Amino acid sequence: MGRKLQSPNDFQQLINMLPKEEKLSMSTIKRLWQYVPNKYKTREETLNILSKVLKYKNWQDYCTQHANLLDSDFLTGINTQRDIPMNTMLILKWAPNRQCLIKKTECDRFIVVESLNSKLQVGDEFYTAWLEKGKPLIATQFTRNNQLQPDYIAGRTNGLTSITICEFSENS
């Protein structure tokens, strides 16, 4: 829709954009956008419907196309709220030889799954709105052991050298 969905009216407008034969409920859409608490896994059929609205064949096609974009020189950056589905795993690399595997969780946060030569530790959680090759990772709302920490910047001098989507969860 080109903007953040913030009200019940916004969600209704999105539902109205869906093909009549493939309607989704208001509650499903609100859960998917985390407008209301979500304890359910999103079904792949739901993601297929939304992918078709965006002119992709299905959810897998959407994932494949977005994974390919990450390797393109034309990509300027990734809006983590819009472009990264929940449960997606990313490998981030920065100089001199640092690497981190992170997973997007609920509420647009990321958790560190693996860390190599970095001050980030497994289990650290943070929020970041934007990822871009050549720009630093700015991790805000940073917590370690459920304790709020100062914001963290990875790749402060030369930015991220690589951003790789390594897994899309089919149940996300």
Side-chain angles (χ1 to χ4, degrees):
M1 289 183 52
R3 62 184 166 78
K4 189 171 182 171
L5 305 179
Q6 298 179 319
S7 71
N9 188 45
D10 291 340
F11 293 100
Q12 187 59 54
Q13 288 178 7
L14 176 60
I15 288 171
N16 292 341
M17 293 172 62
L18 299 175
K20 293 194 186 312
E21 65 276 1
E22 299 194 65
K23 287 292 183 192
L24 297 174
S25 72
M26 177 75 77
S27 61
T28 296
I29 296 293
K30 286 180 177 179
R31 281 194 312 269
L32 188 62
W33 262 263
Q34 299 171 355
Y35 185 75
V36 296
N38 182 11
K39 61 182 178 181
Y40 303 103
K41 296 263 186 204
T42 304
R43 295 181 344 189
E44 188 168 356
E45 296 83 25
T46 300
L47 297 171
N48 285 336
I49 290 169
L50 294 171
S51 297
K52 288 176 185 176
V53 170
L54 297 172
K55 308 297 185 219
Y56 295 92
K57 293 178 207 164
N58 53 35
W59 172 242
Q60 188 59 44
D61 182 43
Y62 173 88
C63 294
T64 300
Q65 295 298 322
H66 280 264
N68 291 342
L69 285 176
L70 288 177
D71 295 327
S72 166
D73 291 336
F74 295 104
L75 181 67
T76 58
I78 303 166
N79 177 321
T80 61
Q81 292 177 333
R82 182 191 68 215
D83 298 334
I84 305 293
M86 192 167 68
N87 294 325
T88 299
M89 305 276 275
L90 299 155
I91 298 173
L92 306 178
K93 294 181 182 180
W94 62 99
N97 62 344
R98 310 218 187 313
Q99 179 175 308
C100 201
L101 175 65
I102 61 174
K103 178 180 179 181
K104 185 171 180 182
T105 64
E106 298 179 56
C107 303
D108 293 319
R109 290 181 60 78
F110 290 86
I111 186 166
V112 177
V113 177
E114 293 178 7
S115 181
L116 180 65
N117 303 318
S118 169
K119 291 181 183 177
L120 292 173
Q121 297 177 9
V122 172
D124 287 350
E125 293 188 46
F126 60 89
Y127 169 83
T128 188
W130 194 257
L131 293 172
E132 185 171 350
K133 192 174 173 183
K135 303 285 185 190
L137 161 69
I138 304 195
T140 61
Q141 302 170 24
F142 186 90
T143 59
R144 177 173 286 158
N145 300 321
N146 294 319
Q147 298 290 318
L148 189 61
Q149 304 292 316
D151 293 347
Y152 179 80
I153 300 175
R156 181 184 302 267
T157 305
N158 297 315
L160 297 172
T161 57
S162 174
I163 303 168
T164 306
I165 293 179
C166 61
E167 175 185 329
F168 279 98
S169 171
E170 291 183 15
N171 296 321
S172 62

